[in-house]
Amino acid sequence: MKLNRFILVVSFLLIAISGFSQKSINIWEDTDCNKKVKLTPYLAEGDNNIAVIVCPGGSYFWLDRKTEGIGVAEWLQSNGISAFVLEYRVVGVPAFITHYRLLFRGIRFPDMLQDILRSIQLIRDNANQYGINPNKLGVMGFSAGGHLAGMSGEFFDTDVLSLVGIKTSTSLKPDFIAPIYPVVSFVNKSTHKRSQRGILGEGHSISKEMKDSLSLERHVRSDMPPTFLMNCVDDPIVKYHNSELLDSAMTAKDVNHRYIQYKTGGHGFGATPEKTSEEAIGWREEFLNWVKFIFKKEQ
């Protein structure tokens, strides 16, 4: 009996140490936005921690919750960084199959931008509760989630929250962003068409102006937050030129950023070594060193 009790206690401790998460919240609860969007905290030990909102990829049609969500959050948490997995609004498989958004609005921009900006507001407003530093809050995204991370760094002062009745004096500008093998352009030949369709809509309803308005390389600003950018040349899903376009645009605007391009590694691996090359998984250590360095410089 004592042995069984000891094993049970140890099991709970192991669960707590690896992957502890607080209860998820609906970021739109008690607001005029009648939507359910889940934000799940994975809090590191201690307080005054660096924090990252994690945006999984999935072409704005679905979300890779496991590899690019939970897996990334647990890795950050194990390295002393609190993480918040955001299950931002995506279109869904039925819309991918049926094209029903030709008739009905469905999910599309600016829904996703509202979700990330609302999350930044909530986390900053409750920083003490989460044991994080409100001035060390960043956004990390993968693939289409990387595009969303990029939008958070470019469109943070866009008044989209007022569309759902929210007024706030809290800064919505991330303190850093990390687009990982991101979708970037909707006007270049390297465009990821599925993500374009996911965020913008269907068929002829997508104008050239709409494509331009959400192409990250067209809207880089000199006051963007520090940016960590990474991708792989052999990426079979999102052409590597996407990140090159963003890197060039940020260089032209003198944005504080680090761009790492790996020859091998593919796509969709998040922070999981088994899903990529030995070369590309090195991004994790590079990011940890980079994010600690940018805040050390400010001290």
Side-chain angles (χ1 to χ4, degrees), residues 56-58 63-69 71-72 141-144 180-182 194 230-232 234-238 265-277 280-281 283:
L63 294 173
D64 182 357
R65 293 175 175 85
K66 184 176 180 181
T67 299
E68 296 176 345
V72 173
F142 300 81
S143 194
I180 308 300
Y181 44 82
R194 188 167 64 234
M230 182 277 285
N231 74 332
C232 303
D234 68 348
D235 189 327
I237 307 298
V238 177
H267 189 86
F269 48 84
T272 306
E274 295 79 14
K275 294 191 174 185
T276 188
S277 66
I281 201 59
W283 82 266

Side-chain angles (χ1 to χ4, degrees), residues 130-285:
Y130 291 126
I132 67 150
N133 187 324
N135 300 313
K136 295 183 179 179
L137 174 61
V139 179
M140 175 182 289
F142 300 81
S143 194
H147 181 266
L148 183 57
M151 286 201 297
S152 76
E154 294 183 348
F155 305 144
F156 53 82
D157 53 3
T158 305
D159 195 20
V160 293
L161 291 186
S162 66
L163 298 175
V164 287
I166 292 179
K167 297 290 186 180
T168 179
S169 59
T170 301
S171 171
L172 303 181
K173 180 180 178 179
D175 294 298
F176 62 91
I177 60 173
I180 308 300
Y181 44 82
V183 172
V184 171
S185 183
F186 297 136
V187 294
N188 188 268
K189 61 182 180 181
S190 64
T191 292
H192 187 243
K193 298 286 187 169
R194 188 167 64 234
S195 294
Q196 174 184 284
R197 180 184 159 213
I199 193 171
L200 288 176
E202 301 286 346
H204 296 298
S205 65
I206 305 177
S207 67
K208 291 182 179 179
E209 290 75 18
M210 291 169 66
K211 293 176 184 179
D212 179 88
S213 69
L214 297 184
S215 293
L216 299 181
E217 80 279 14
R218 297 287 182 93
H219 301 281
V220 169
R221 47 198 289 176
S222 58
D223 62 343
M224 280 183 68
T227 302
F228 181 92
L229 175 64
M230 182 277 285
N231 74 332
C232 303
V233 174
D234 68 348
D235 189 327
I237 307 298
V238 177
K239 294 178 181 178
Y240 72 90
H241 303 94
N242 277 265
S243 290
E244 291 184 335
L245 288 169
L246 186 56
D247 170 53
S248 295
M250 288 191 293
T251 299
K253 288 285 187 177
D254 199 27
V255 174
N256 177 6
H257 74 287
R258 173 93 190 275
Y259 175 38
I260 302 177
Q261 184 184 89
Y262 297 107
K263 292 182 179 179
T264 64
H267 189 86
F269 48 84
T272 306
E274 295 79 14
K275 294 191 174 185
T276 188
S277 66
E278 184 177 349
E279 175 192 23
I281 201 59
W283 82 266
R284 300 185 307 178
E285 193 65 27

